[in-house]
């Protein structure tokens, strides 16, 4: 910008000198004035820098790094370079081609889609400038590799089933904490980590499906065993009840009672046959029942 400003000033001065020597007409004068004014305006911009309301800036002059500039108007030397950092939250999307391939504690391969929301701490802008050099470099050199490393390390401590389903929330919280703890000392604020999706590769998916089928078969077999045990217990209880009833009846029937009931039964039969021989006697001795006697 400084070189362009000097060029316009030189052109404007040259045109005005020509007009002063009465070489050329009024357009030469007008062109000289405009070129000089433009060169002066461009020259002034090399002495000021405006930092936006959501930005901070780091000035460097002749290899020396200055203090962080906050939002507002700042005066500077034409030899000062200014690097701007946005303080707005940024999203690092580890999806698609950037999806993280992880391995479980059992060796299963999973693919994790994750989004890391991060922003720059204005108090550490100078340190970040020295580490990375620019806002884009902060993401590529610091946030990106550290996030991928932590995601892999966390999943490596869990089984495939835990990573795929049962412990996803716990894994997401653990990743969030570890990334936050890793990046905070460097001046990077982590505003949230979203574990968006976890999917197994084809081989692991097949193994998971087989395990689900085995678990279902095992559950059905266990249910059948419990049903069989219940039926057996029911039959045992019924048999015990029948045996107890028979024992009670057997204990209550004496020989005299049985003889009396036998005789009464054959009396009813003897009504049609006045004299009837009943095998109700002791030791098989028949008893003659006379039905004519009331």
């Amino acid at each position: 910008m400084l070189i362009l400003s000097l060029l316009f000033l030189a052109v404007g001065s040259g045109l005005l000198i020509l007009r002063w020597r009465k070489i050329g007409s009024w357009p030469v004068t007008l062109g000289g004035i405009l070129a000089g004014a433009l060169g002066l305006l461009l020259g002034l911009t090399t002495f000021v820098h405006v930092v936006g309301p959501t930005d901070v800036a780091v000035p460097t002059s002749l290899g020396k790094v200055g203090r962080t500039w906050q939002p507002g108007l700042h005066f500077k030397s034409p030899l000062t370079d200014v690097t701007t950092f946005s303080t707005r939250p940024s999203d690092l999307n580890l999806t698609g081609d950037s999806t993280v391939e992880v391995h479980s504690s059992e060796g299963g391969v999973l693919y994790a889609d994750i989004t890391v929301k991060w922003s720059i701490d204005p108090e550490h802008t100078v340190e970040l400038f020295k580490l990375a050099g620019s806002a884009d470099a902060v993401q590529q050199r610091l946030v990106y590799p550290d996030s991928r490393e932590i995601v892999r390390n966390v999943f490596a401590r869990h089984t495939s089933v835990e990573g795929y389903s049962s412990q996803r929330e716990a894994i997401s919280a653990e990743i969030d904490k570890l990334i936050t703890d890793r990046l905070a000392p460097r001046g990077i604020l982590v505003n949230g980590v979203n574990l968006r999706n976890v999917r197994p590769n084809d081989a692991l998916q097949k193994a998971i499906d087989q395990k689900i089928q085995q678990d279902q078969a095992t559950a059905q077999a266990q249910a059948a065993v419990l049903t069989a045990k219940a039926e057996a217990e029911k039959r045992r209880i019924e048999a015990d009840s029948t045996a107890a009833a028979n024992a009670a009846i057997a204990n209550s029937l004496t020989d005299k009672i049985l003889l009396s009931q036998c005789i009464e039964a054959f009396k009813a039969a003897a009504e049609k046959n006045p004299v009837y021989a009943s095998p109700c006697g002791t030791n098989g001795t028949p008893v003659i029942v006379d039905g004519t006697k009331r």
Side-chain angles (χ1 to χ4, degrees), residues 13 17 39 76 96 107-108 111 116 120 132 139 143 223 225 268 290:
S13 300
I17 291 174
K76 69 182 185 67
Y111 299 102
V116 180
I120 290 175
Q139 175 164 296
V143 182
V225 170
D290 187 357

Side-chain angles (χ1 to χ4, degrees), residues 186-246:
R186 300 179 179 180
I188 301 173
L189 305 176
V190 177
N191 309 113
V193 175
N194 181 18
L195 184 59
R196 299 168 60 180
N197 187 31
V198 179
R199 62 186 185 279
N201 67 349
D202 294 340
L204 181 57
Q205 182 65 61
K206 183 178 180 180
I208 291 174
D209 293 340
Q210 290 177 347
K211 187 177 186 305
I212 292 175
Q213 293 176 357
Q214 292 174 355
D215 292 342
Q216 291 176 346
T218 301
Q220 292 175 354
Q222 291 175 346
V225 170
L226 293 176
T227 301
K229 288 183 178 180
E231 291 293 334
E233 182 66 16
K234 178 182 178 181
R235 289 193 294 270
R236 185 189 64 81
I237 293 173
E238 292 176 349
D240 291 344
S241 299
T242 302
N246 292 336

Side-chain angles (χ1 to χ4, degrees), residues 12 19 23 54 56 122 197 243 263 282:
R19 180 56 180 162
I23 300 175
T54 59
V56 290
N197 187 31
I263 294 173
T282 305

Side-chain angles (χ1 to χ4, degrees), residues 102 112 114 116 146-147 150-155 157 168-181 190 193-195:
V102 299
I114 189 168
V116 180
D146 286 1
S147 298
I150 289 172
V151 170
R152 289 192 181 102
N153 292 340
V154 171
F155 272 93
R157 294 193 290 269
R168 278 187 57 176
E169 292 185 4
I171 290 174
S172 179
E174 185 178 358
I175 292 173
D176 190 340
K177 181 179 183 304
L178 291 176
I179 293 179
T180 300
D181 294 344
V190 177
V193 175
N194 181 18
L195 184 59

Side-chain angles (χ1 to χ4, degrees), residues 278-294:
S278 171
C280 297
T282 305
N283 295 326
T285 304
V287 176
I288 303 301
V289 179
D290 187 357
T292 61
K293 297 180 179 180
R294 302 288 181 180

Side-chain angles (χ1 to χ4, degrees), residues 30-187:
L30 181 60
I33 293 174
L34 292 176
L38 183 58
L40 182 61
L41 181 61
L42 292 175
L44 290 176
T45 60
T46 62
F47 290 92
V48 295
H49 184 83
V50 178
V51 180
T54 59
D55 298 331
V56 290
V58 177
T60 56
S61 180
L62 301 176
K64 183 179 179 180
V65 180
R67 295 183 179 180
T68 302
W69 285 356
Q70 299 300 324
L73 178 65
H74 299 268
F75 294 97
K76 69 182 185 67
S77 166
L79 300 178
T80 300
D81 293 326
V82 180
T83 303
T84 302
F85 291 83
S86 175
T87 57
R88 292 177 177 174
S90 300
D91 289 350
L92 172 63
N93 293 310
L94 299 177
T95 59
D97 294 338
S98 299
T99 295
V100 185
E101 180 179 316
V102 299
H103 295 264
S104 68
S105 59
E106 304 164 325
V109 178
L110 300 166
Y111 299 102
D113 293 336
I114 189 168
T115 296
V116 180
K117 299 181 180 295
W118 66 277
S119 60
I120 290 175
D121 184 356
E123 300 298 327
H124 294 80
T125 309
V126 173
E127 289 80 0
L128 285 173
F129 174 78
K130 293 178 180 179
L131 283 173
S134 67
D136 292 338
V138 169
Q139 175 164 296
Q140 291 301 319
R141 296 181 183 179
L142 301 177
V143 182
Y144 179 82
D146 286 1
S147 298
R148 292 179 68 90
E149 176 190 348
I150 289 172
V151 170
R152 289 192 181 102
N153 292 340
V154 171
F155 272 93
R157 294 193 290 269
H158 294 270
T159 64
S160 299
V161 175
E162 290 174 346
Y164 179 69
S165 58
S166 63
Q167 295 294 319
R168 278 187 57 176
E169 292 185 4
I171 290 174
S172 179
E174 185 178 358
I175 292 173
D176 190 340
K177 181 179 183 304
L178 291 176
I179 293 179
T180 300
D181 294 344
R182 174 79 67 84
L183 298 180
R186 300 179 179 180

